[in-house]
Amino acid sequence: MPYFIPGPRAVPPPEPTMAALGPVQPAVTVPHTTHTAHLAPAPPPEPMAMQPAIMPVMPVEPVTSQSTSNTVPAAMQPADQIVERAKRRIVRFILTANAMAGTDDTGAALVSVAISEAASIPGLNATIKTTSSQRQQIMVAWNNIFRKLLAIVRSCLALGYNLYPPVGSNVAPDQFRGRVIAALINDSANPLAFMHRFTVDIDGNIVLLDGILDNPLIFHVTVHFIWCSDLGIYEFLAAMTSDRLQQVNYAISAVGSVVKLVLREQLPHPPVVIPFTQLEGKDTFNDIVRYIDGLDDVQKLIFDHSKSHMLNVGDSQLRSTNVLARLDMMMTGVMVL
C-alpha cells in the first residue's frame, strides 16, 4: 500500500522578543529626542528535510512622526511644566524682602531662584534648560503681580481716604483733594502719614490719629491681595505664626508703596496715570520696612496683634465663597475688583 508523503510546509518565523529589541529607556531620561529602532536578527529555524524554510522579512516600522511624538513632547514637557511652576512660585517673593526687585539683575535672580525651586519635581532626574523666552514669561508673571495690585488700589482709593470735601465745605473739590493728599505724602516730618488713620476737617486739614500703620485701606487691600485675589499668595504663607507675621510686614510694605504712587496720581488736577515700577517703589517699601523694624517692644506688640487679626480675617475670607468674600470686603467700605 503506497504511503502518503506530505508536501513541504512553510514554517512561520518566530516572534521578536523584548530581549531582541533591547532595553527600553523612559522618555525623560533619553538624551536625544529621536531614536532609530534596531532589530536583532532572529535565529534561523531548523532546516526541513524536504525544503529549506523561507524566512519572510518582517516589516520594521520606520521612525515616523508618530513615534517621534512619543519622545519629543515627553522631553519638552518637563521644561514647560517647570516654567508654569516657576510662574506660580515667583509670586511668593512678594512676601519677602525682595518684593521690590525691579532691576534686570535682581529680576533675573528671582527668576533663577523660581526656576530652581520649580525644577524640584519628584521623579524627574533630568537637567532642564530654559530658553530666554521662557525666562521672560516668568518675569512677565512677576510684573503682573504689581499690575493687579495697582488695579486693586486704584479702584478703592477714594473709599479709603477722605479725598472729597464734605457737605458745606467752601473748598473746591480739586483743591480739597490736593490739600489732603499733599499733607499725607509730602510731610517730611512724617513721610508715612498716608499709612495711618487720620481725620480731615471741612477745609481739608488733616490730623493723624494715634496708631501704627493702621489705615483701614492698607489693611483691606492687603487682605484682598493675599487671600482674595487670583494670585494665590496665601499658598506661600509660612506655617509658623512668627514667620507669617514677618511675611505680612513685607506685604504691607509693598501695598503701601503702591498706595503712595496712586495718591500721587490724584495730586494734580486732573489726575494722571503714573507708570509703576518696582524700582521706583523700592524707596517707599524700604521706608516702611525700616519703620516696622524700628518699633519699640510695646509698638511691636500692638502691631503684631493687628497683623494677627489680619491673618484671622484673611483665613476667614479664604474659607468663604468668592461672593461672600467680596461682600464682606464691600461691607467694610472697600470696593474690590
Side-chain angles (χ1 to χ4, degrees):
M1 182 175 178
Y3 292 95
F4 174 74
I5 299 176
R9 293 181 301 170
V11 178
E15 294 294 333
T17 64
M18 292 302 293
L21 294 177
V24 180
Q25 298 294 331
V28 294
T29 59
V30 176
H32 302 287
T33 57
T34 58
H35 306 272
T36 304
H38 298 283
L39 295 180
E46 291 295 331
M48 297 291 293
M50 299 297 295
Q51 178 179 335
I54 300 174
M55 291 295 295
V57 178
M58 295 295 294
V60 179
E61 182 181 356
V63 180
T64 61
S65 60
Q66 181 178 2
S67 60
T68 302
S69 65
N70 292 332
T71 56
V72 173
M76 294 299 294
Q77 183 179 2
D80 295 336
Q81 184 179 1
I82 286 174
V83 171
E84 291 304 313
R85 286 167 59 93
K87 288 161 68 174
R88 284 287 304 114
R89 290 202 62 83
I90 202 167
V91 173
R92 79 172 186 84
F93 291 108
I94 201 69
L95 300 173
T96 70
N98 298 311
M100 287 295 130
T103 64
D104 292 340
D105 291 341
T106 56
L110 291 193
V111 170
S112 296
V113 174
I115 292 174
S116 177
E117 294 177 351
S120 301
I121 302 176
L124 180 61
N125 298 318
T127 300
I128 304 298
K129 294 183 179 180
T130 54
T131 65
S132 59
S133 175
Q134 289 171 326
R135 295 177 68 87
Q136 182 62 28
Q137 292 178 37
I138 301 171
M139 194 64 202
V140 169
W142 172 246
N143 292 329
N144 282 340
I145 299 172
F146 296 92
R147 293 189 181 96
K148 292 185 178 183
L149 179 55
L150 271 169
I152 295 172
V153 175
R154 285 170 176 158
S155 69
C156 60
L157 185 75
L159 297 176
Y161 289 89
N162 297 322
L163 301 181
Y164 304 137
V167 176
S169 175
N170 295 323
V171 181
D174 58 302
Q175 295 178 354
F176 186 93
R177 183 183 70 246
R179 189 176 299 176
V180 172
I181 294 176
L184 291 174
I185 66 174
N186 291 336
D187 186 358
S188 58
N190 193 351
L192 300 181
F194 67 96
M195 298 284 293
H196 299 271
R197 287 180 179 269
F198 65 92
T199 61
V200 56
D201 63 18
I202 198 171
D203 296 321
N205 301 310
I206 72 167
V207 176
L208 295 180
L209 304 178
D210 292 336
I212 303 169
L213 306 182
D214 57 350
N215 186 283
L217 181 76
I218 304 297
F219 178 94
H220 292 301
V221 169
T222 304
V223 169
H224 179 70
F225 185 49
I226 296 177
W227 285 274
C228 303
S229 69
D230 61 354
L231 295 170
I233 300 174
Y234 66 90
E235 297 176 9
F236 300 100
L237 287 171
M240 294 184 60
T241 301
S242 59
D243 294 334
R244 286 161 65 94
L245 292 176
Q246 181 61 45
Q247 289 176 316
V248 171
N249 286 347
Y250 296 125
I252 290 175
S253 301
V255 169
S257 66
V258 173
V259 167
K260 185 174 183 178
L261 175 126
V262 177
L263 284 170
R264 285 174 52 203
E265 293 180 334
Q266 295 290 324
L267 188 58
H269 184 73
V272 297
V273 174
I274 302 175
F276 177 83
T277 65
Q278 295 91 307
L279 188 59
E280 293 178 353
K282 189 173 183 178
D283 288 342
T284 303
F285 176 85
N286 290 337
D287 287 343
I288 299 173
V289 171
R290 282 193 295 266
Y291 177 89
I292 295 173
D293 291 342
L295 297 175
D296 60 34
D297 291 340
V298 175
Q299 291 172 326
K300 286 182 179 179
L301 185 63
I302 296 173
F303 190 50
D304 284 348
H305 178 72
S306 175
K307 291 184 296 181
S308 297
H309 177 60
M310 179 184 292
L311 290 170
N312 291 333
V313 171
D315 290 340
S316 174
Q317 294 294 312
L318 187 61
R319 289 191 296 268
S320 303
T321 63
N322 290 335
V323 174
L324 289 177
R326 294 171 181 269
L327 179 61
D328 291 345
M329 293 286 286
M330 287 186 287
M331 290 180 63
T332 59
V334 177
M335 181 182 298
V336 297
L337 296 177

